[in-house]
Amino acid sequence: MQPNDITFFQRFQDDILAGRKTITIRDESESHFKAGDILRVGRYEDEVYFCTIEVTGVSTVTLDTLTEKHAVQENMSLAALREVITEIYPQQTHFYVIDFKCV
């Protein structure tokens, strides 16, 4: 079985597959992705593969500079986005925005 390149919480799977979630915000440990990368995507909870994505861009952002555009790309409100990021990455403020599309 081929390993996944990146994982997402299961709650995001439907939004990714429907094209409603087109970015992910990660910490430095996942800052190595670059535009053009083709990634196998699995669920974080059980590592089950569910799609393949193409990275279309990578940029940096801080918690304070997250915008409504980021929230729309994540398919949530800006307040919810900041809350989710803070829960996943407590005490971190510098992140990498990975833009992607399903292929």
Side-chain angles (χ1 to χ4, degrees), residues 23 25 61 65-74 81 97:
I23 66 169
I25 299 172
V61 70
T65 59
L66 286 171
T67 66
E68 284 294 334
K69 181 180 178 185
H70 293 117
V72 168
Q73 292 170 309
E74 285 275 10
L81 176 58
V97 178

Side-chain angles (χ1 to χ4, degrees), residues 46-91:
D46 58 12
E47 289 286 328
V48 170
Y49 165 84
F50 70 88
C51 74
T52 300
I53 60 173
E54 178 182 354
V55 176
T56 59
V58 179
S59 57
T60 58
V61 70
T62 66
L63 196 57
D64 293 336
T65 59
L66 286 171
T67 66
E68 284 294 334
K69 181 180 178 185
H70 293 117
V72 168
Q73 292 170 309
E74 285 275 10
N75 194 37
M76 61 181 72
S77 71
L78 183 55
L81 176 58
R82 286 191 171 130
E83 185 176 322
V84 166
I85 295 300
T86 302
E87 287 174 8
I88 297 170
Y89 303 112
Q91 301 178 8

